[in-house]
Amino acid sequence: MSYGDKETVAVEEGKEAQSGGDTCPNCIDTSTVERNIPLIGGRATYAGGDNPMTLSGKYSYSYVPTMLTDYPAIDHDRRYDNLGTVGFMGLLMDTRAIGADWKFVNKEWSMAVNPYMDPVTRINAGLLGFGLGLIALPKTIIQYAQPNGTGHGNVMMWYYISNTGVTNTPSIHNH
């Protein structure tokens, strides 16, 4: 499949990819959208391990999610990118990502308890926050069990490193 195939539907800066041979390697491959964790009302785009990709196979944060619960996942994933943390094993084992994990949990739980959010968003946010918190808890306990309180200092140091330039706003790239 070439990037310009008529069957390929992609979006870059709100435009569809041109057919007839034009290429658009930075366009979103829409087959990679909403392919993550199944939630009430649909599937997550950013919450989970299968994030949107461009037609050239690179991760992209340019897709504007339809679920509010995906916004904390965008900045969580960007923190992981800053640390070079990848995959489920990174979630389970990389103690440098503890701050990023708990920031995600905090943001999701904030939505879950917000009485102004719709019930579906609240339930989904609660489930996502609980799930990631449960997975991150063992590495957090191990890290905080370090002697002389060094565990907390390490968590905070890596959190600030991971937080550099992070937002939960989808990217719009000008080409």
Side-chain angles (χ1 to χ4, degrees), residues 98 102 138-147 149-156:
I98 290 171
W102 290 105
K139 72 179 178 185
T140 304
I141 292 170
I142 291 167
Q143 182 65 24
Y144 274 86
Q146 299 299 313
T150 58
H152 179 69
N154 286 334
V155 168
M156 295 310 297

Side-chain angles (χ1 to χ4, degrees), residues 15-160:
K15 297 181 273 185
E16 288 190 15
Q18 303 270 334
S19 62
D22 292 341
T23 62
C24 186
N26 294 320
C27 291
I28 290 289
D29 177 352
T30 58
S31 72
T32 64
V33 171
E34 296 178 358
R35 303 287 299 182
N36 267 312
I37 298 172
L39 297 167
I40 298 169
R43 294 181 79 93
T45 293
Y46 294 100
D50 295 317
N51 286 348
M53 306 284 278
T54 64
L55 290 170
S56 62
K58 297 178 182 175
Y59 284 119
S60 175
Y61 295 106
S62 62
Y63 179 78
V64 177
T66 58
M67 297 180 138
L68 292 176
T69 52
D70 267 327
Y71 286 92
I74 291 172
D75 62 32
H76 179 261
D77 293 346
R78 286 177 169 156
R79 286 183 180 92
Y80 267 45
D81 291 348
N82 285 345
L83 296 172
T85 302
V86 294
F88 188 70
M89 290 308 292
L91 175 60
L92 280 177
M93 307 297 289
D94 192 343
T95 58
R96 299 172 310 146
I98 290 171
D101 295 338
W102 290 105
K103 184 69 170 181
F104 173 84
V105 170
N106 177 273
K107 286 184 173 198
E108 293 291 350
W109 283 351
S110 292
M111 281 195 275
V113 300
N114 184 336
Y116 298 106
M117 291 280 176
D118 66 274
V120 169
T121 297
R122 293 179 69 186
I123 292 167
N124 286 340
L127 291 170
L128 288 169
F130 179 79
L132 195 138
L134 188 63
I135 294 168
L137 187 59
K139 72 179 178 185
T140 304
I141 292 170
I142 291 167
Q143 182 65 24
Y144 274 86
Q146 299 299 313
N148 302 322
T150 58
H152 179 69
N154 286 334
V155 168
M156 295 310 297
M157 175 188 71
W158 286 112
Y159 172 71
Y160 287 115

Side-chain angles (χ1 to χ4, degrees), residues 1-9 16-21:
M1 166 175 67
S2 73
Y3 297 131
D5 284 348
K6 290 182 182 177
E7 295 80 27
T8 301
V9 179
E16 288 190 15
Q18 303 270 334
S19 62

